[in-house]
Amino acid sequence: MQNEYQFETIEKKWQKRWQDSGLYSVDIEKSDRKLYCLVMFLYPSGDKLHIGHWYNYAPTDSWARFKRMQGYQVFEPMGYDAFGLPAENYAIKKGVHPKKSTENNIRFIREQLKALGAMYDWDKEINTSDPGYYKWTQWMFLQLYKHNLAYRKKAAVNWCPSCTTVLANEQVIEGQCERCESEVETRDLEQWFFKITDYSERLLEGHDRIDWPEKTITMQKNWIGKSTGALIGFPLADADDIIQVFTTRPDTVYGVTYMVLAPEHPLVAKITTAAHQQDVKAYIERTRRTKEIDRLSTEREKTGVFTGSYCLNPVNNKRVEIWIADYVLVTYGTGAVMAVPAHDQRDFEFATRYGLEIIQVISPHGKPTSEALECAFEDPGIMIHSGTFDGTPSVQGKQAVIDYLQQNGWGEAKINFRLRDWLISRQRYWGAPIPIVYCDTCGETPVPEKDLPVLLPDQVEFSGQGQSPLSTNPDFVNTTCPTCGGPARREVDTMDTFVCSSWYFLRFPNPHLSDKAFDPEIIKKWLPVDQYVGGSEHANMHLLYARFFTKALYDFGYINFDEPFTRLVHQGIITNAGAKMSKSRGNVVNPDVYVEKYGADTFRVYMMFMGSYEEGGDWNDEGIIGINKWIKRVWRLIHQINDQPPQGNENDRFKIVLRQMHYAIKMIGIDMERFHFNTCISRIMELINEMYLYIQDVPVAEQNATLIDVMHTLVKLLAPFTPHLAEEVWHELGNSSSVFDVSWPEYDEEQLTLDTIQMGVQINGKIRAQMQFSADASDQEIIEATTADDKVQKYMEGKKIVKSFVVKNKLVILVVK
RNA sequence: GCCGAGGUGGCGGAACUGGUAGACGCACUGGACUCAAAAUCCAGCGUAGCUCAAACUACGUGCGGGUUCGACUCCCGCCCUCGGCACCA
């Protein structure tokens, strides 16, 4: 036995032995008590593994090890989300082919990952940029295409001039590119979309069946943005067309004083009268030039112009002006809004600015307000100036008006969603090619499944000029039509990398299948993922897309579940001096330095002990030395006991140690379930402190011999947190099997109470004394003993006890008057 | 502006369904060991008052109120920090 803990040799030794013995390779065929524990896989950019990765992976691995010891068959895989922009940008800058740089990064990162000492089943590693994988990403595309969930349309899209590609709405943050923070422009392009909007309702419904953080579910709900209201048709006064509007306030329809179309609305050209042609044209031009970010700003004053045309309010035949204004978005609802300035703040501001009429149709008390409104009245109230609806409470008025509109053929009830279809085309090279060809005779044609994968060619030019790099390789572009055999062109855009990650959890259990994406039998056994852990920033992207894919695959009959991740936990963010760590800020903390200096076990424990896992916190390495010392202290304790084994049967002091042990087992069990790692470590620290006091205060010859058993339990408790140290010690103690193959210790509730208990005596809410009681004393006895006490009597002089009771093992409560 | 989370010692953070606030650790101080230092082991450590000391008392979980025998925990009104959404009709 060594005196000092040598983490360098011990950690390497066990990492190698674990791998050689295949300890963590899961037999996928056996799935009883299966537990699929997944962390969001890696995006292998040049940054390598940073603190955030460690924080995601190491504590989750401790959780998985804990579950394994509880008897679960834990499957914990790792892989690489290897397609994506950084590799390609690096190629443009340094001239290194993305394939090469990605390979290099992965090779390096794999080693870093191994240093973590996690239970990853390396036989199941996947790489989304491997043709063996993206073949099936393309297959997924074809399934969606077959079921009309993938379509192409010309659309105004978000264009990042720096990344030279389009972005999904989710990737645009405050009008800027999520990745490079450039201002996003609007361009009209033919693009591929996935029809996620078909699943809006079901994506909401599924929330009730998953154990996810409430805030994540709320974020998704808000993002999907369901709103209930009505679709109302306003016929043009002097032409045939009808302007459809969506409103959540059909009860205010009598208050419509004008109509607003989005500048991009298709009817604008048709209805603009000659006299207003010039103004309207100028306004549209101006809108187009306005940057997305400015247009989205709510602070900006609302502007618009009159088109010269009128439409008729179906309920009262009122003639209302039709305006265009950029506060109306063409992408939401019908791109047109019925303006009710009295009851909508935006319409109110617009009407005030342009001197448009304001008619009050909802009032708090059922009578018109005498003075002019200062702002819109948006609360519910009583309907007025609304024909036969006068006097109806607006809440009921909503449905009543809808019924009325419906009876007359003017409108209908309608549910609208904020969610838009998922734009997946990227004008970039490093992604999975979209398996579509364009034939002059047959048109848009999907590549037959048997011809997959559509291989990504190595030879392309990275112009960075906005044109898809694949278009620069004629051998790739020119092909033959799978239907007619005539000449055809391949689609040159690639898929958003979020497509690759929308189904990867189905690939992990069977990564080497060459004839299908996944084996339905295996998937049936191992999915859904029991525990998923990753950052909350993916709430409206990856986590939504993966749910959409799962529901689609369920509908196609490939899988028998429709929610991919049963339980989800987000790790918090580790900041540096309050700022988010990022390469551009240059404040990224490199975990390798600490792993080299203190070892993986120390680093793991430190990350877990730092604070609340789900809240994260600011990075500060001051305490890490303390954890390192603690780990050495643990090592010394175990060796000290083992070198001088206890011989006697001392019991009074030993009971305290025993109680601490049972308490630790109990609390760690509870806290691990909740991902409260910091308190788990505290409980082990307490046990170790108690054990030290014991061997110090009680001579070896008297020490209770069963202290050895406590020590074995201690090693088991340590195992999930310090896997290398625990495994080493476990073997030193004479065990031949892995500590991860033994079962988690159980606690005895009876051992948690000591013979005598100290309780506080609370008189009128204040602690006034501390008293000892035997554990089996009745409440009656305790209260009697308390009231007889001198100190307590002092507070009761001349007063009567009104109420008295005992909070078990804690307090004696006396209320006196 | 809207939605969500959070504000506790010098610091990181505990506290289950309202029941002894500050577990555990860092830093600091003292003791033991040592010729000495480091390492280690042990002890102390919210603030103020009183005291040689022990004890005791008051105050104390962002601020101001409230409910309760009793509030970090529940209710009302504010302030600040962080995350998300942002003209969604």
Side-chain angles (χ1 to χ4, degrees):
Chain A
M1 294 236 181
Q2 290 147 332
N3 305 329
E4 188 66 1
Y5 176 51
Q6 306 289 335
F7 72 84
E8 301 93 334
T9 47
I10 290 170
E11 290 187 351
K12 281 218 182 68
K13 173 171 118 190
W14 286 108
Q15 283 164 17
K16 186 165 186 310
R17 284 209 200 166
W18 287 334
Q19 183 159 349
D20 293 348
S21 65
L23 186 66
Y24 307 133
S25 305
V26 170
D27 183 356
I28 283 298
E29 296 302 323
K30 288 193 214 132
S31 60
D32 43 314
R33 293 208 83 190
K34 70 93 180 177
L35 192 142
Y36 188 171
C37 175
L38 185 66
V39 289
M40 290 181 184
F41 65 166
L42 251 156
Y43 197 75
S45 65
D47 295 348
K48 311 290 183 324
L49 272 201
H50 54 75
I51 294 273
H53 292 119
W54 262 86
Y55 197 58
N56 184 186
Y57 301 159
T60 303
D61 176 64
S62 288
W63 184 85
R65 286 177 184 275
F66 165 71
K67 283 288 160 188
R68 178 188 173 118
M69 291 176 78
Q70 278 192 330
Y72 290 93
Q73 204 193 156
V74 178
F75 177 45
E76 203 187 6
M78 181 46 81
Y80 312 96
D81 191 9
F83 274 137
L85 285 182
E88 189 166 346
N89 289 339
Y90 189 72
I92 293 165
K93 221 162 106 188
K94 298 274 167 89
V96 183
H97 195 279
K99 203 180 207 170
K100 196 91 218 134
S101 63
T102 302
E103 270 170 21
N104 287 341
N105 285 339
I106 289 180
R107 201 173 308 124
F108 190 90
I109 286 169
R110 190 184 290 124
E111 289 315 304
Q112 285 184 302
L113 281 168
K114 289 192 172 167
L116 200 137
M119 294 202 297
Y120 299 132
D121 181 350
W122 291 104
D123 300 337
K124 308 291 193 302
E125 191 185 60
I126 59 176
N127 173 343
T128 59
S129 69
D130 188 293
Y133 183 92
Y134 71 70
K135 171 180 179 176
W136 300 111
T137 305
Q138 292 171 337
W139 180 85
M140 294 286 166
F141 177 96
L142 292 179
Q143 303 316 305
L144 292 169
Y145 184 81
K146 214 194 293 182
H147 292 88
N148 294 317
L149 290 170
Y151 67 96
R152 202 162 83 112
K153 72 165 181 196
K154 190 162 193 143
V157 296
N158 305 304
W159 176 265
C160 172
S162 165
C163 297
T164 65
T165 185
V166 301
L167 304 170
N169 292 322
E170 292 81 353
Q171 291 167 318
V172 181
I173 313 291
E174 290 181 2
Q176 298 183 335
C177 172
E178 169 197 55
R179 201 159 286 289
C180 69
E181 295 177 13
S182 319
E183 294 284 340
V184 169
E185 300 168 0
T186 305
R187 286 201 184 179
D188 287 319
L189 292 169
E190 284 277 344
Q191 301 288 307
W192 282 96
F193 290 85
F194 284 160
K195 222 169 177 186
I196 191 171
T197 53
D198 271 13
Y199 284 81
S200 303
E201 195 68 68
R202 295 205 13 224
L203 286 165
L204 289 172
E205 177 275 325
H207 283 145
D208 300 337
R209 293 181 281 118
I210 48 182
D211 181 9
W212 283 25
E214 202 48 54
K215 71 165 186 177
T216 310
I217 289 182
T218 306
M219 275 163 72
Q220 288 200 345
K221 279 192 172 142
N222 293 341
W223 187 261
I224 294 167
K226 178 177 178 173
S227 50
T228 339
L231 206 58
I232 308 177
F234 283 67
L236 294 178
D238 310 302
D240 274 348
D241 264 301
I242 293 178
I243 298 175
Q244 294 288 346
V245 299
F246 172 72
T247 178
T248 55
R249 294 295 303 272
D251 51 315
T252 64
V253 69
Y254 287 85
V256 174
T257 58
Y258 64 103
M259 179 70 54
V260 197
L261 305 185
E264 304 88 344
H265 193 284
L267 275 178
V268 171
K270 183 174 171 183
I271 61 167
T272 305
T273 60
H276 293 83
Q277 201 70 252
Q278 220 167 351
D279 286 355
V280 169
K281 234 177 139 178
Y283 186 77
I284 293 172
E285 264 312 298
R286 219 178 80 198
T287 307
R288 280 195 80 87
R289 279 199 312 270
T290 312
K291 284 180 191 159
E292 187 77 0
I293 182 149
D294 295 334
R295 185 165 170 188
L296 284 173
S297 164
T298 39
E299 315 290 299
R300 199 167 65 102
E301 220 179 330
K302 293 171 186 27
T303 59
V305 288
F306 180 42
T307 61
S309 280
Y310 295 83
C311 62
L312 300 171
N313 186 340
V315 295
N316 58 9
N317 260 322
K318 188 179 163 74
R319 227 172 124 84
V320 297
E321 296 179 0
I322 305 173
W323 286 60
I324 63 168
D326 64 7
Y327 78 89
V328 174
L329 307 172
V330 72
T331 46
Y332 182 78
T334 61
V337 167
M338 63 177 218
V340 186
H343 305 291
D344 182 287
Q345 188 56 27
R346 295 155 303 181
D347 298 342
F348 182 86
E349 287 166 23
F350 192 80
T352 312
R353 179 179 165 123
Y354 292 102
L356 294 158
E357 196 183 0
I358 297 171
I359 302 176
Q360 203 184 353
V361 292
I362 309 285
S363 125
H365 39 261
K367 279 176 237 129
T369 316
S370 45
E371 342 48 285
L373 291 171
E374 276 176 26
C375 64
F377 178 73
E378 295 183 332
D379 296 337
I382 309 292
M383 292 173 71
I384 55 167
H385 299 147
S386 296
T388 56
F389 293 99
D390 282 359
T392 311
S394 61
V395 182
Q396 283 132 57
K398 276 186 191 178
Q399 191 53 49
V401 170
I402 291 172
D403 292 344
Y404 176 62
L405 292 166
Q406 199 141 20
Q407 280 154 24
N408 292 283
W410 298 328
E412 61 191 32
K414 166 88 180 166
I415 291 169
N416 214 21
F417 294 94
R418 205 192 82 116
L419 186 69
R420 298 179 208 170
D421 279 338
W422 173 16
L423 168 61
I424 59 140
S425 302
R426 293 293 180 274
Q427 289 67 49
R428 299 302 300 234
Y429 166 71
W430 196 233
I434 295 172
I436 292 284
V437 300
Y438 302 99
C439 167
D440 289 339
T441 38
C442 310
E444 173 189 299
T445 309
V447 173
E449 288 179 22
K450 65 175 172 54
D451 295 340
L452 296 181
V454 175
L455 280 175
L456 194 61
D458 287 344
Q459 292 297 320
V460 293
E461 273 173 47
F462 300 103
S463 62
Q465 295 305 308
Q467 177 195 34
S468 298
L470 288 181
S471 66
T472 64
N473 183 321
D475 292 341
F476 175 81
V477 175
N478 299 315
T479 183
T480 50
C481 171
T483 312
C484 70
R489 288 165 296 109
R490 283 193 191 280
E491 168 66 59
V492 292
D493 287 352
T494 53
M495 286 187 248
D496 180 4
T497 48
F498 278 118
V499 179
C500 309
S501 56
S502 290
W503 71 280
Y504 78 111
F505 43 92
L506 298 171
R507 187 68 178 174
F508 267 132
N510 38 217
H512 308 300
L513 278 186
S514 56
D515 61 337
K516 38 189 167 223
F518 51 83
D519 178 340
E521 283 310 305
I522 289 176
I523 295 310
K524 206 177 197 172
K525 286 183 194 163
W526 280 88
L527 273 282
V529 171
D530 299 282
Q531 178 66 60
Y532 198 32
V533 185
S536 62
E537 68 273 18
H538 291 106
N540 292 337
M541 296 193 267
H542 164 61
L543 289 168
L544 201 57
Y545 299 149
R547 293 183 63 219
F548 159 59
F549 259 59
T550 305
K551 286 174 192 301
L553 289 169
Y554 172 81
D555 288 353
F556 306 161
Y558 287 113
I559 53 179
N560 66 339
F561 57 94
D562 78 334
E563 283 294 342
F565 314 121
T566 307
R567 187 175 182 227
L568 172 73
V569 166
H570 296 303
Q571 81 276 16
I573 296 169
I574 304 296
T575 52
N576 192 356
K580 218 172 183 167
M581 289 190 202
S582 73
K583 210 177 176 183
S584 56
R585 282 194 190 84
N587 64 348
V588 178
V589 177
N590 178 3
D592 296 355
V593 178
Y594 297 102
V595 177
E596 272 164 38
K597 196 163 173 192
Y598 303 110
D601 283 347
T602 293
F603 197 55
R604 261 175 183 264
V605 173
Y606 185 59
M607 302 217 94
M608 285 188 265
F609 190 62
M610 267 171 54
S612 157
Y613 186 61
E614 287 170 273
E615 277 167 36
D618 205 46
W619 177 254
N620 177 343
D621 61 10
E622 260 177 39
I624 195 167
I625 182 97
I627 297 297
N628 189 241
K629 283 181 182 175
W630 179 72
I631 285 201
K632 290 179 185 163
R633 178 174 156 92
V634 173
W635 174 267
R636 274 192 305 273
L637 174 73
I638 292 168
H639 285 92
Q640 197 172 329
I641 295 176
N642 206 33
D643 290 349
Q644 293 177 282
Q647 308 283 333
N649 53 12
E650 188 283 334
N651 209 30
D652 286 353
R653 285 294 309 273
F654 186 65
K655 269 189 178 164
I656 299 172
V657 177
L658 218 48
R659 192 205 75 93
Q660 198 66 250
M661 181 189 86
H662 286 282
Y663 180 66
I665 298 170
K666 178 180 181 177
M667 294 314 289
I668 293 170
I670 293 170
D671 285 344
M672 280 304 263
E673 282 316 323
R674 303 188 297 172
F675 276 66
H676 288 194
F677 303 112
N678 51 344
T679 46
C680 292
I681 307 290
S682 294
R683 297 294 88 79
I684 300 179
M685 285 174 168
E686 284 165 354
L687 175 58
I688 281 168
N689 290 348
E690 211 56 73
M691 288 171 78
Y692 257 106
L693 289 181
Y694 186 72
I695 58 168
Q696 180 179 287
D697 293 353
V698 180
V700 181
E702 289 167 36
Q703 283 169 17
N704 194 306
T706 49
L707 183 63
I708 291 287
D709 298 338
V710 175
M711 187 173 66
H712 278 73
T713 299
L714 170 68
V715 176
K716 292 181 203 169
L717 295 179
L718 282 164
F721 308 100
T722 59
H724 307 91
L725 177 139
E727 187 79 300
E728 173 72 12
V729 170
W730 187 248
H731 282 77
E732 284 185 19
L733 295 180
N735 298 291
S736 51
S737 67
S738 168
V739 68
F740 299 104
D741 280 336
V742 303
S743 50
W744 187 252
E746 309 219 342
Y747 68 93
D748 178 357
E749 190 71 46
E750 276 178 34
Q751 302 269 15
L752 289 173
T753 2
L754 294 167
D755 296 347
T756 54
I757 299 156
Q758 179 171 304
M759 296 208 276
V761 183
Q762 202 180 62
I763 303 166
N764 288 350
K766 293 201 165 168
I767 304 290
R768 295 300 185 185
Q770 291 288 337
M771 292 176 72
Q772 304 282 336
F773 297 98
S774 116
D776 48 19
S778 71
D779 287 5
Q780 187 68 33
E781 288 167 338
I782 291 173
I783 290 166
E784 275 168 22
T786 309
T787 48
D789 185 78
D790 284 355
K791 227 191 241 162
V792 175
Q793 290 248 321
K794 215 170 69 190
Y795 291 95
M796 302 201 311
E797 255 169 53
K799 289 172 183 165
K800 257 190 169 155
I801 296 179
V802 207
K803 209 199 269 183
S804 62
F805 59 96
V806 175
V807 180
K808 202 172 181 322
N809 294 338
K810 286 184 176 167
L811 285 176
V812 185
I813 312 272
L814 300 175
V815 182
V816 301
K817 256 189 182 157

